[in-house]
Amino acid sequence: MEDTSSSIAPSFDTPRPPKPRYSVRVGVTGHRPDQLQQDATPRARDDLLSLFAAIETAAVRNLESNSQWYEPSRPAIRLVSSLAEGGDQLAAEIVAREFRARADEGQMRPRSADWSIDAILPAPKVDYVAASRVSARSEPGQPIDVA
């Protein structure tokens, strides 16, 4: 009888599955701008900047403490938002301007983590963008860029 076990059994020379990337998802939802006090937006902007910086610092520290379980790369942090006007758009604007590396500016902003924005839209993108051209926080005729 012929031994076929070597062709059926998995090889012990096969490398282990790849380690996962350390990832954090941050969900945000907020009030519409016409529902906020006038001085709330600058305060919310400062609070979000501080919060996102703290999240980035915590993610980096947690990855360093658990590096044996993750691939050797920077943490991936994703902001999850519906991009509704007000707090949602404010958070997305802060991440886009302050935390995401921008290759289109000719230089990369050094960050400790790779940030991205995941948008959960309530309608197809074309319809949502068209409906979002006028915002409660903007003057008539000054569209908000949500594209």
Side-chain angles (χ1 to χ4, degrees):
M1 197 163 181
E2 186 179 333
D3 181 16
T4 59
S5 62
S6 62
S7 62
I8 296 173
S11 169
F12 290 107
D13 296 333
T14 305
R16 290 183 246 173
K19 292 180 179 181
R21 184 170 187 193
Y22 184 85
S23 301
V24 175
R25 286 185 173 76
V26 178
V28 65
T29 186
H31 291 288
R32 293 175 56 98
D34 57 350
Q35 301 295 314
L36 297 173
Q37 296 174 0
Q38 285 189 335
D39 65 339
T41 300
R43 191 174 66 240
R45 181 179 306 280
D46 292 343
D47 289 349
L48 286 169
L49 278 166
S50 297
L51 176 64
F52 294 158
I55 289 169
E56 183 175 89
T57 299
V60 169
R61 287 184 181 158
N62 196 29
L63 175 58
E64 288 171 353
S65 298
N66 296 285
S67 61
Q68 73 274 19
W69 305 113
Y70 297 98
E71 74 175 31
S73 65
R74 298 185 307 183
I77 303 176
R78 294 175 185 230
L79 178 73
V80 180
S81 170
S82 67
L83 298 180
E85 60 184 335
D88 292 30
Q89 285 186 9
L90 178 63
E93 288 172 7
I94 289 169
V95 168
R97 290 188 181 136
E98 304 295 331
F99 290 88
R100 286 179 54 195
R102 299 293 298 249
D104 59 336
E105 293 177 355
Q107 62 183 12
M108 298 297 284
R109 294 182 187 172
R111 297 299 320 171
S112 301
D114 295 328
W115 285 79
S116 62
I117 300 170
D118 289 345
I120 302 169
L121 303 180
K125 182 179 177 181
V126 172
D127 297 338
Y128 184 74
V129 169
S132 300
R133 290 293 178 203
V134 177
S135 169
R137 72 179 176 143
S138 68
E139 296 297 321
Q142 293 182 339
I144 299 291
D145 183 15
V146 296

